[in-house]
């Protein structure tokens, strides 16, 4: 009931994004039912039917990716302070988001079933026209109810499970430098680490707090950086107590103490500092991309070109899956690298702002950018192979290609909108400090041009290498 109430009271933009999820689910469910109809019409060729069903994995993955992106931008299920007191903690909100996604995808699956039955003539008693439609719709044969139900439940189940996995509550992890501890209870082998105060080990949340480095106080005997321990006690780097403040603040008279992080923000805090990015997936993405191109080249040279009415081989499907996975893994690292290159060689304010924003948003828009690059490369290969002299590009293949392209582009736009909302506070702070709006628009144009200059040649290179073994 809570999911239904949040769905009913949402804004128009949220309803439009959920409608996109329903449309993607409807298209994917229709393709799955068409694969089932082809299997019923051709019981003597189970391999071809299984291959058609396997090719439905591409629109299924695109629909699930769109559902996850839409769930992340849903303002109704965003964790807020105070909701845990009424039973709406992070786990409950995750369950509500997964339920809302399942409802949207189930609506699309029901629409796909109705459209499939209408085209079969079961609802209007009108036979379909065309041999392709008759093969895909299994006209004159009864549909097995368990198979139909399994295929229609596949999209809502995968989408809700992916949303639950993406939005699951995560415990705060300490930084890598703070997580490493030396041997010995009192730091006998851990030089340069702050000592823990008595009872700090058993204090609530002490093991998940990250020690923050701060400048040393004036007149400190150690002369090093001071650290705030897990218990909130200020310690110097050498383990000595800090020097007393020569002009201490008397503070409030009722004995209340001020939190240690209650310092006022300065003008330097308005510049969006890049978050710590994990770029270790970039080599893995390049390796998976190379493996995908190798598999596709080997299988493309070993088999003949696809004939009219048939789908490419399973090796080509595996190669394209690995290629898309490699580009998706390398996307955040490439976006982070693009931001670093923008700030190289004495950058000005425009390039510095654009590069910092790219580095900060690389974990949000990097993966959708990699998937869009993979889809664009696949479109180039399809335009090269499925030309006028090549095999026919049927209506179901057109529907699948349009569905994959639309879902990936919608996912990228949704991620871009979410990133824009995330940096709204920084944008407002820059405008209050006197930054002209033209500078912000120029930084956005620089970011778009830099990403196009990096991902454009990469996409073209991958497309040319993937199309070479399929042109014979």
């Amino acid at each position: 009931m809570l999911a239904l109430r949040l769905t009913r009271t949402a804004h128009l933009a949220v309803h439009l994004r959920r409608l996109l999820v329903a449309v993607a689910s409807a298209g994917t469910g229709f393709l799955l039912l068409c694969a089932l109809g082809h299997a019923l019409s051709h019981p003597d060729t189970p391999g071809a039917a299984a291959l058609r069903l396997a090719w439905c994995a591409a629109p299924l993955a695109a629909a699930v990716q769109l559902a996850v992106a839409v769930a992340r931008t849903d303002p109704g299920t965003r964790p807020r302070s105070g909701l845990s007191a009424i039973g709406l903690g992070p786990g409950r909100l995750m369950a509500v988001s997964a339920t809302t996604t399942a409802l949207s995808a189930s609506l699309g699956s029901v629409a796909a079933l109705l459209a499939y039955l209408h085209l079969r003539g079961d609802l209007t008693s009108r036979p379909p026209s065309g041999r392709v439609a008759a093969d895909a719709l299994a006209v004159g044969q009864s549909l097995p109810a368990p198979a139909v139900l399994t295929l229609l439940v596949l999209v809502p189940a995968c989408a809700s499970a992916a949303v639950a996995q993406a939005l699951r509550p995560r415990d705060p992890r300490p930084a890598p430098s703070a997580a490493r501890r030396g041997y010995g209870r009192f730091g006998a082998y851990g030089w340069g680490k702050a000592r823990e105060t008595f009872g700090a080990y058993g204090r609530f949340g002490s093991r998940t707090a990250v020690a923050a480095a701060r400048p040393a106080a004036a007149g400190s005997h150690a002369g090093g950086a001071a650290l705030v321990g897990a218990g909130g006690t200020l310690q110097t780097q050498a383990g000595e107590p800090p020097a007393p403040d020569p002009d201490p603040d008397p503070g409030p008279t009722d004995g209340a103490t001020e939190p240690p992080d209650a310092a006022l923000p300065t003008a330097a805090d308005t510049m969006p500092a890049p978050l710590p990015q994990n770029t270790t997936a970039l080599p893995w993405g390049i390796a998976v991309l190379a493996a995908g191109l190798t598999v596709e080249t080997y299988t493309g040279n070993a088999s003949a070109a696809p004939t009219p009415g048939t789908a490419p081989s399973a090796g080509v499907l595996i190669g394209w899956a690995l290629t898309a996975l490699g580009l998706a893994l390398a996307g955040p690292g490439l976006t982070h690298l693009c931001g670093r290159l923008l700030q190289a060689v004495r950058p000005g304010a425009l390039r510095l702002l654009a590069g910092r924003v790219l580095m900060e948003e690389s974990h949000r828009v990097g993966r959708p950018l990699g998937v869009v690059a993979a889809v664009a490369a696949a479109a180039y290969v399809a335009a090269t192979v499925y030309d006028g002299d090549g095999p026919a590009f049927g209506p179901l293949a057109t529907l699948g290609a349009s569905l994959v392209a639309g879902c990936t582009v919608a996912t990228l736009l949704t991620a871009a909108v979410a990133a824009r909302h995330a940096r709204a506070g920084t944008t407002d702070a820059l405008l209050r400090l006197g930054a002209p709006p033209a500078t912000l628009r120029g930084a956005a144009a620089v970011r778009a041009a830099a990403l196009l200059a990096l991902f454009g040649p990469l996409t073209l290179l991958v497309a040319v290498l993937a199309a070479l073994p399929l042109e014979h």
Side-chain angles (χ1 to χ4, degrees), residues 197-238:
T197 58
F198 179 77
Y201 190 89
R203 192 171 294 118
F204 177 77
S206 62
R207 309 314 301 165
T208 58
V210 181
R214 299 190 180 277
S220 175
H221 297 289
L227 299 177
V228 177
T233 305
L234 190 63
Q235 298 288 341
T236 60
Q237 189 175 3

Side-chain angles (χ1 to χ4, degrees), residues 395-414:
L396 294 180
T398 304
L399 175 62
S402 303
L403 187 63
V404 171
C407 287
T408 52
V409 173
T411 302
L412 179 59
L413 294 179
T414 303

Side-chain angles (χ1 to χ4, degrees), residues 1-2 11 25 64 82 126 163 217 261 291 315 348 352 372 379 381 390 396 410 431 455 458 468-469 471:
M1 292 298 296
L2 180 59
H11 296 286
S25 176
V64 169
R126 182 182 304 172
V163 169
D261 294 336
L352 182 62
V372 168
V381 175
L396 294 180
L431 292 177
F455 281 91
L458 176 63
L468 285 178
E471 292 180 350

